[in-house]
C-alpha cells in the first residue's frame, strides 16, 4: 500500500484504495481526498474467514488456532490504547510519523472496541468480546 501511496503522491495514480494510516497520511500531506470511508456505513466486519466445511474438517487444528489467536489479539487491542497500538506496529510503517500513526490508529481502535458506534457499544459488541459462529457438521 505504501507503493500505491507514493504513486498517488507522484501523480502516477489518480485514485487508490487505502487503509490507515495511508488514508490519514494522504489527507495530512494534501495528496488526495477521501471519497468514501467504509467505516461510515456502520458496523463492519474487517476480519473474516471464508472456507468450506470440508477444509475446516481437514484443517481443524489450524482453524481453531487462528480463531484463538484473533480473539487474543482483539482482547489485547481493547485493553490498550490507540497510541500503544501505534507503538506496537510502528516498525511496519517506517515512513509514517509516530504522531500520524497514533492518530489514525486511534480512530480504528475506537471503532474496533465499540466506542464510536453506539449500536455496538450498547449491545456489548466489540473486539474485546468477539462473536464467533460454530459450523454445524
Amino acid at each position: 500500500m505504501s507503493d500505491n501511496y507514493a504513486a498517488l503522491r507522484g501523480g502516477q495514480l489518480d485514485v487508490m484504495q487505502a487503509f490507515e494510516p495511508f488514508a490519514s497520511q494522504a489527507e495530512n500531506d494534501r495528496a488526495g481526498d477521501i471519497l468514501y470511508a467504509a467505516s461510515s456505513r456502520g458496523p463492519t466486519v474487517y476480519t473474516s474467514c471464508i472456507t468450506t466445511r470440508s477444509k475446516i474438517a481437514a484443517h481443524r487444528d489450524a482453524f481453531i488456532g487462528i480463531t484463538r489467536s484473533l480473539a487474543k489479539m482483539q482482547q489485547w487491542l481493547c485493553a490498550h490504547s490507540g497510541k500503544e497500538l501505534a507503538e506496537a506496529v510502528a516498525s511496519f510503517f517506517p515512513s509514517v510519523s509516530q504522531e500520524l500513526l497514533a492518530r489514525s490508529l486511534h480512530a480504528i481502535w475506537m471503532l474496533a472496541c465499540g466506542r464510536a458506534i453506539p449500536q455496538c457499544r450498547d449491545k456489548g459488541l466489540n473486539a474485546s468480546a468477539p462473536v464467533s459462529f460454530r459450523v454445524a457438521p
Side-chain angles (χ1 to χ4, degrees), residues 39 44 46-47 73-75 77-78 85 105-117 120-121 124-130:
S39 62
T44 301
Y46 287 99
T47 302
M73 182 281 304
Q74 290 173 326
Q75 290 165 349
L77 178 69
C78 290
L85 173 60
L105 295 183
H106 177 74
I108 292 171
W109 177 81
M110 290 288 289
L111 290 169
C113 296
R115 289 164 171 82
I117 303 173
C120 291
R121 185 184 60 238
L125 298 175
N126 60 63
S128 66

Side-chain angles (χ1 to χ4, degrees), residues 2-14 31:
S2 61
D3 291 344
N4 288 343
Y5 178 66
L8 180 71
R9 285 195 68 192
Q12 290 87 29
L13 285 178
D14 295 326

Side-chain angles (χ1 to χ4, degrees), residues 8-82:
L8 180 71
R9 285 195 68 192
Q12 290 87 29
L13 285 178
D14 295 326
V15 65
M16 70 174 276
Q17 177 186 8
F19 298 101
E20 291 295 358
F22 299 102
S24 291
Q25 190 171 22
E27 282 188 313
N28 192 59
D29 295 345
R30 298 178 191 235
D33 297 308
I34 295 177
L35 302 176
Y36 175 75
S39 62
S40 67
R41 67 180 177 235
T44 301
V45 175
Y46 287 99
T47 302
S48 303
C49 179
I50 301 169
T51 189
T52 63
R53 290 176 190 205
S54 64
K55 291 297 181 185
I56 291 174
H59 303 283
R60 180 174 164 67
D61 290 342
F63 281 100
I64 290 170
I66 196 167
T67 301
R68 288 182 179 154
S69 295
L70 284 169
K72 187 175 180 180
M73 182 281 304
Q74 290 173 326
Q75 290 165 349
W76 181 93
L77 178 69
C78 290
H80 295 79
S81 68

